[in-house]
Amino acid sequence: MSKCNDTCPVELTDVYDSNKKRTGEVVPRHQMKEGGFRLVVQMCIFSKDKLLIQKRCMSKRSFPGAWDISAAGQVDAGEESHEGASREVREELGLEYILTEKDLFVTLCLPHVFNDIYIMEYDGSEITIQESEVDDFGWATEEEVLNMIDDGRFIPYKPELIRSIFEAHRKGIRNAPDMCMETSYI
């Protein structure tokens, strides 16, 4: 497994205001301006009633070795949310999805973070994990994910968030971007 060291480039992110509008400021990924927000994305890829899940590599800063949803990451400076989502799926899982603004399911409004969640259908392509980010992948039902959260193997998302993602998938809901849920997902 490769690990990032002092030679890795600094990842930059745009600073957003409380209305999810860019302020014009750009900062290093782990340095947020007082009162500013950053934008992250999460992609939930489904095959029938199962969610593609990934096991985070042990070198991750947060939740090393924990299972997580399909793919997630920070939106880079200058990227739109859907562009960052497409890039993260490609980087972490080797899957080519061309997402658009219409693919956005919902935005979670967290303290100093906007979290855009995308729900997608698995297209059958070969999954190739990025070893510096992901140790393994698998498929899990809603009940299995909730059980993994309960026993500490999965990032401790609130059960209502997991249920809402699975429910949206079952109902075919793929675009509710005007809905901004103020929550803490963990």
Side-chain angles (χ1 to χ4, degrees):
M1 239 181 283
S2 65
K3 275 178 131 175
C4 193
N5 55 36
D6 293 335
T7 63
C8 290
V10 175
E11 295 179 5
L12 300 176
T13 185
D14 291 307
V15 177
Y16 292 79
D17 66 18
S18 61
N19 294 311
K20 199 180 172 188
K21 302 291 182 207
R22 285 188 178 102
T23 65
E25 295 180 73
V26 175
V27 297
R29 176 181 174 168
H30 295 292
Q31 173 189 337
M32 186 45 60
K33 181 180 168 134
E34 181 77 26
F37 290 75
R38 63 190 178 105
L39 179 59
V40 298
V41 289
Q42 292 182 301
M43 289 63 62
C44 300
I45 302 172
F46 284 90
S47 180
K48 298 183 183 173
D49 65 338
K50 292 190 175 188
L51 174 66
L52 176 62
I53 60 175
Q54 64 160 276
K55 187 173 185 183
R56 297 166 61 84
C57 74
M58 292 304 292
S59 63
K60 292 293 242 179
R61 259 187 217 184
S62 61
F63 303 106
W67 286 91
D68 197 357
I69 54 103
S70 308
Q74 176 102 12
V75 175
D76 290 342
E79 273 185 324
E80 298 298 328
S81 171
H82 63 277
E83 294 168 335
S86 296
R87 177 184 48 75
E88 287 291 343
V89 169
R90 182 177 55 259
E91 287 176 359
E92 293 182 12
L93 302 171
L95 299 174
E96 291 291 333
Y97 283 89
I98 306 300
L99 298 168
T100 69
E101 291 177 19
K102 292 181 180 181
D103 296 311
L104 175 62
F105 165 54
V106 67
T107 298
L108 301 181
C109 304
L110 307 162
H112 305 290
V113 176
F114 289 108
N115 182 5
D116 287 350
I117 298 178
Y118 293 81
I119 296 177
M120 303 138 59
E121 294 296 324
Y122 179 56
D123 65 5
S125 299
E126 181 180 349
I127 297 170
T128 306
I129 61 173
Q130 179 184 21
E131 292 181 1
S132 62
E133 298 272 338
V134 181
D135 278 347
D136 200 1
F137 71 92
W139 295 92
T141 65
E142 179 177 355
E143 183 178 324
E144 290 168 332
V145 170
L146 293 171
N147 287 337
M148 292 171 78
I149 290 170
D150 284 344
D151 68 21
R153 292 181 291 145
F154 209 94
I155 289 181
Y157 295 111
K158 289 187 175 180
E160 58 266 25
L161 175 62
I162 299 300
R163 287 187 194 104
S164 69
I165 291 168
F166 273 86
E167 183 68 14
H169 174 259
R170 282 190 292 274
K171 290 183 175 180
I173 299 170
R174 294 294 180 276
N175 189 256
D178 294 334
M179 181 171 76
C180 187
M181 299 168 54
E182 292 195 27
T183 185
S184 173
Y185 54 78
I186 50 177

